[in-house]
């Protein structure tokens, strides 16, 4: 049997080995004392089974021919998105949750809308992204801060302004 796509074979084998490692480490977690409660190992086990199934599927039914991984435009979009995530981490550290999350949601949504809604005008994409950033930030704030009573970072600059 001649292997046509070595990348799929390698990735499939990696997925299976990594899934086995996750399953092994998950089995080391202690169960809770409640009857019928699977404990903290349930979600990692489910994830490892899904990953192993995907790895097996890659080995059994690989792509017929190797394709170009990413085009030049896709590489630019990927690096732009990665840069935005780095920018989000910096904004989160400097300005905290309340400011960084809506701004990041707005920018990421606007970046991705250029790829998904190509026929929309820039003004339309800006308005939709702005609404999504504000509403999404408010929903995340309500869920984490109000609902779960989580204390989110306020940011270095805001802490300095309070003093």
């Amino acid at each position: 049997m001649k292997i046509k796509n070595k990348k799929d074979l390698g990735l499939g084998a990696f997925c299976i080995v990594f899934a086995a490692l996750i399953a092994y480490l998950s089995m080391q977690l202690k169960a809770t004392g409640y009857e019928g409660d699977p404990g903290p190992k349930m979600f990692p086990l489910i994830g490892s089974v899904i990953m192993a199934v995907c790895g097996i599927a890659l080995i059994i039914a690989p792509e017929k021919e190797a394709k170009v991984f990413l085009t030049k435009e896709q590489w630019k979009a990927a690096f732009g998105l990665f840069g935005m995530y780095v920018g989000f981490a910096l904004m989160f550290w400097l300005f905290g949750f309340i400011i960084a999350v809506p701004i990041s949601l707005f920018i990421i949504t606007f970046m991705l809308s250029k790829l998904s809604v190509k026929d929309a005008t820039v003004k339309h994409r800006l308005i939709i992204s702005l609404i999504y950033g504000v509403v999404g930030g408010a929903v995340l704030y309500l869920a984490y801060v109000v609902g779960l009573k989580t204390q989110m970072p306020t940011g270095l600059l805001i802490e300095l302004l309070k003093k």
Side-chain angles (χ1 to χ4, degrees), residues 15 21 35 38 46 48 52 65-66 72 77 90 92 104 108 132 158:
C15 285
L21 177 68
E35 185 178 335
I46 291 171
S48 67
E65 59 186 55
K72 186 177 178 181
L90 184 63
F92 202 76
S104 297
I108 291 170
Y132 183 77
I158 295 176

Side-chain angles (χ1 to χ4, degrees), residues 144-161:
Y144 284 102
V145 177
V146 177
L148 296 173
K149 308 244 187 289
T150 307
Q151 185 176 2
M152 293 305 222
T154 54
L156 180 67
L157 293 179
I158 295 176
E159 287 294 324
L160 290 174
L161 290 175

Side-chain angles (χ1 to χ4, degrees), residues 27 49 80 97 130 160:
M27 296 308 284
V49 168
F97 179 83
L130 183 65
L160 290 174

Side-chain angles (χ1 to χ4, degrees), residues 4 13 63 76 121 144 152 154-155:
K4 292 181 181 178
E63 291 276 337
K76 284 173 39 178
T121 64
Y144 284 102
M152 293 305 222
T154 54

